[in-house]
Amino acid sequence: MTAPPDVATDDAAVIEQSWHEPERFAVIYDRYFPEIYRYVAARLGRDAADDIAAETFYAAFRKRDRFDPARGAVRPWLYGMATNLVGRYRRDEGRRYAALARVAPESRADGHEARVAARVAAEGVRPQLARALAGLSDGDRDVLLLVAVGGLRYEEVAQALEIPPGTVGSRMNRARRKLREALGGTDPTHAEENSHG
Amino acid sequence: MDDMRDDTSLVAALLDEGGPSPRVAAAGREGLLELARTGGREPAHQSGRRRGRRAGRWSGRLRGRRPLGIGLCLVAAGAAASVAVAAVGSGGAAPGGRSAPGPREMVLAAAVQAERQADGRYLVTHVRDCHAEPVEAETGDYIVQPCDETWQWRARDRADESAVWTRDLGARPQTARDEALWKRAGSPRTFPYHQDRRALPDLYRTAPTPWKEDRGDRNENSDRYVLPFTGRSLTAEELRNLPTDPEELEKLLTPAEDSPRGRRDSRLPTGPGQKIVQATLAVSDLPLPPKVWAAFIRMLADTPGVRAVGWVTDPIGRPGVALEAPRTASATGGGTSMERAIFDPGTGALLATVSTVVRRGPQDPAVYRPGTVEHYEVIIKSEWTDGRPSRPA
């Protein structure tokens, strides 16, 4: 599926078309499924993401007539729905971080060099980082991971979570402060890149 | 925002699990197209997965056999377990006439009572879920029992009308012996998650929390009802017309051979007690018509290996009649438990399910011993109303 130049406008048009031609919604799926999957998998693991990533699109499909382009773009709307679904599995998410704090990392296929570098750095502080994530409030963690994993801008996070932009900023600051405290002055930052597919 | 990149890229790298496999992407797309074709109704093979709201319930029942990335069918089923069961209100019928019928007759009599219950527009349920959490202490290990409650209502026929409220009751030492050990340990007010004390040092607390509505679940009532474990879902119409014959009903509650859920079930425990757990979960989220509920009780009573045990008391002291059967964890290291379903003899309503340790598995917490109640769920209330419910009292 080739995205037209103005994807945001086109996304909205596709959703509107899907009111009458439901199959058109597959265009939205094809565009965003990989990244929504990646986001959910980051929070709940692949096993859960196998189900919940698709659930996100089913929920979006069912609510497609409530999508309002005046309130923002389709992508953050999808991330908001994914975040809502993830929110139903808080304890599983907590257990995942608990396990990350403890378990030796499996080798995972990872092509991008910069991401490998970031991963190496992350492994060095893995227990602290995972514990810090577990210790964040739900709202702070949502904001942090929408930015860190989803790559959303503050205004997009605000749209996704339906909260004011100022709240996004304060939650993000709080989350990052806690991460820093948890890392206890270590400076493992060799990473320079945070692109996400 | 440059300095922020360092923190956030570390987090992203730590959590990265990669993108979807082609198979998963294709299956999801197929599900979406099916949804599109059916005009927005949930595809049957996906529908059970939305319910995973309270995955933590399985901490007791699964006892951490898969602490990470728990298969969604399990998560979904666990959540379904949170929702009360019966298609009938629980009324406290006195246990009279106990000399005449045998245990099996008593359960079957409850089924007859179930047939007579009336239903209404909304099913309101109030469920308590508790499990045994082992706590390590230098002064002696003990068990605390964290409990949470779910109060929920949902419309029988109309989609998008439902609400869910939850609260924690506060963890307490499970037995008098546990209480003594808890005091010896200094009466701590928080307890760690036993599978990772460092990461979750205070997951459970003695302090209760107030009722809180899970707004994300407001009006999430699907227009299809799900049969967890089975890979099937039903419209409200189909639900009204479920078979009232126990054998026909059993076929519907047995996982379809080719469903992905069927494959995942290989991880699940075995034995007739599993049938009690599985069947109870399968219908626990459904406003079943009274006659179907009656068929369900008969089906369980007829299951080979399931035995009737006559009068028992449920975990909150209500008298009932029970069916029970053993269940063995199939995963290595799992032990054997006795699974019990307790019914109200006056209404046929399910009062509770209780899981008790019979033989501890090598991977079970050392403090579990034969007789330890590792998990239970109590349906405090399950009743039909015609007026639209609001919030827990």
Side-chain angles (χ1 to χ4, degrees):
Chain A
M1 195 61 58
T2 310
D6 191 350
V7 174
T9 310
D10 185 67
D11 281 347
V14 167
I15 289 202
E16 197 172 327
Q17 287 158 14
S18 76
W19 294 352
H20 305 294
E21 301 170 64
E23 281 85 357
R24 285 287 287 164
F25 205 83
V27 173
I28 302 294
Y29 181 91
D30 292 338
R31 274 180 199 162
Y32 297 110
F33 183 73
E35 66 174 278
I36 292 292
Y37 180 97
R38 187 179 283 270
Y39 170 71
V40 174
R43 299 191 66 169
L44 296 174
R46 294 184 68 91
D47 216 18
D50 281 355
D51 294 325
I52 295 175
E55 274 302 317
T56 302
F57 287 85
Y58 302 157
F61 176 81
R62 282 190 293 266
K63 293 178 178 168
R64 67 192 187 283
D65 56 344
R66 295 184 220 166
F67 172 74
D68 178 3
R71 296 208 332 247
V74 170
R75 184 168 168 267
W77 181 63
L78 291 170
Y79 271 100
M81 269 187 223
T83 304
N84 273 341
L85 287 173
V86 166
R88 301 186 190 181
Y89 299 86
R90 294 278 185 215
R91 281 195 198 170
D92 290 297
E93 190 180 17
R95 282 179 210 158
R96 170 166 156 76
Y97 300 144
L100 281 173
R102 178 187 57 196
V103 179
E106 298 168 29
S107 60
R108 280 173 282 200
D110 202 336
H112 204 291
E113 276 181 33
R115 215 153 69 205
V116 171
R119 164 149 296 210
V120 168
E123 299 295 359
V125 293
R126 174 191 196 105
Q128 298 94 313
L129 203 53
R131 250 174 258 138
L133 282 171
L136 294 180
S137 75
D138 295 341
D140 291 358
R141 193 187 309 111
D142 284 345
V143 168
L144 174 72
L145 295 184
L146 283 170
V147 172
V149 180
L152 267 57
R153 289 173 289 122
Y154 280 13
E155 64 193 76
E156 292 174 319
V157 173
Q159 187 206 337
L161 300 179
E162 296 178 0
I163 55 177
T167 307
V168 174
S170 60
R171 286 188 188 178
M172 190 66 191
N173 288 338
R174 195 162 51 224
R176 296 189 59 226
R177 192 169 62 242
K178 285 185 179 164
L179 289 189
R180 290 243 167 99
E181 283 165 9
L183 297 179
T186 43
D187 184 18
T189 52
H190 308 292
E192 288 158 357
E193 208 263 356
N194 74 337
S195 82
H196 310 284
Chain B
M1 233 158 110
D2 274 356
D3 64 323
M4 183 174 300
R5 286 201 167 174
D6 298 335
D7 302 0
T8 56
S9 63
L10 275 178
V11 169
L14 174 73
L15 299 182
D16 187 29
E17 294 283 346
S21 70
R23 188 188 60 75
V24 164
R29 195 176 199 280
E30 188 49 44
L32 179 68
L33 289 174
E34 190 183 332
L35 200 61
R37 278 192 296 270
T38 56
R41 294 191 183 283
E42 208 163 350
H45 63 275
Q46 287 288 352
S47 51
R49 294 162 182 169
R50 326 174 49 202
R51 309 300 175 88
R53 183 174 39 82
R54 312 227 66 201
R57 292 176 183 286
W58 279 97
S59 55
R61 203 165 267 218
L62 285 182
R63 283 193 266 137
R65 274 156 204 143
R66 296 196 73 226
L68 177 64
I70 293 174
L72 251 284
C73 65
L74 305 186
V75 173
S82 70
V83 183
V85 173
V88 291
S90 65
R98 50 189 303 179
S99 58
R104 187 180 147 78
E105 284 70 31
M106 290 196 289
V107 171
L108 294 177
V112 171
Q113 292 303 314
E115 281 188 335
R116 295 181 180 158
Q117 305 303 310
D119 53 8
R121 279 192 63 201
Y122 299 93
L123 182 62
V124 183
T125 56
H126 179 184
V127 176
R128 180 180 301 169
D129 187 287
C130 305
H131 79 272
E133 180 73 16
V135 182
E136 282 188 357
E138 286 181 6
T139 46
D141 298 351
Y142 56 96
I143 292 176
V144 292
Q145 186 169 272
C147 296
D148 55 64
E149 290 189 350
T150 303
W151 187 94
Q152 142 158 336
W153 60 263
R154 54 193 317 193
R156 183 187 60 196
D157 290 326
R158 291 178 55 193
D160 285 354
E161 265 202 297
S162 62
V164 179
W165 300 69
T166 55
R167 69 175 177 186
D168 289 338
L169 289 188
R172 292 277 175 275
Q174 192 181 46
T175 65
R177 179 178 181 277
D178 292 319
E179 178 155 20
L181 286 163
W182 171 68
K183 283 182 177 155
R184 205 181 301 165
S187 305
R189 307 179 70 78
T190 64
F191 310 97
Y193 175 50
H194 76 274
Q195 296 203 356
D196 198 318
R197 292 170 188 83
R198 278 187 311 170
L200 299 169
D202 54 2
L203 183 63
Y204 302 110
R205 296 159 186 273
T206 56
T209 64
W211 284 113
K212 182 166 179 265
E213 182 176 8
D214 194 338
R215 297 297 291 189
D217 277 347
R218 174 51 81 105
N219 294 339
E220 283 292 314
N221 197 13
S222 164
D223 57 355
R224 289 186 76 88
Y225 291 104
V226 190
L227 295 176
F229 282 111
T230 65
R232 297 194 180 89
S233 66
L234 305 169
T235 64
E237 177 70 21
E238 288 165 340
L239 187 78
R240 305 289 301 159
N241 294 312
L242 274 176
T244 53
D245 174 74
E247 284 182 23
E248 291 296 310
L249 187 64
E250 180 166 25
K251 280 182 204 157
L252 274 175
L253 296 181
T254 306
E257 288 295 323
D258 56 346
S259 80
R261 197 156 286 125
R263 288 202 300 283
R264 287 190 174 162
D265 278 358
S266 64
R267 291 200 295 255
L268 292 175
T270 56
Q274 176 64 6
K275 177 89 176 187
I276 291 180
V277 171
Q278 199 164 318
T280 312
L281 288 175
V283 301
S284 63
D285 204 11
L286 305 178
L288 287 186
K291 281 186 198 297
V292 178
W293 183 250
F296 175 79
I297 298 175
R298 293 180 180 120
M299 180 205 89
L300 269 191
D302 287 343
T303 300
V306 171
R307 96 194 161 91
V309 288
W311 287 106
V312 297
T313 304
D314 88 350
I316 58 173
R318 298 174 298 184
V321 294
L323 297 170
E324 69 175 25
R327 173 189 196 239
T328 300
S330 59
T332 53
T336 303
S337 59
M338 187 62 78
E339 303 296 330
R340 178 175 278 187
I342 305 172
F343 301 93
D344 185 325
T347 66
L350 184 68
L351 294 176
T353 58
V354 181
S355 177
T356 307
V357 176
V358 174
R359 185 180 52 79
R360 190 171 64 82
Q363 287 189 4
D364 288 337
V367 72
Y368 279 17
R369 63 193 74 213
T372 295
V373 175
E374 57 184 294
H375 174 257
Y376 70 77
E377 182 163 284
V378 181
I379 293 98
I380 295 170
K381 183 171 88 166
S382 172
E383 66 185 26
W384 291 97
T385 85
D386 284 324
R388 197 168 179 282
S390 53
R391 51 181 300 151

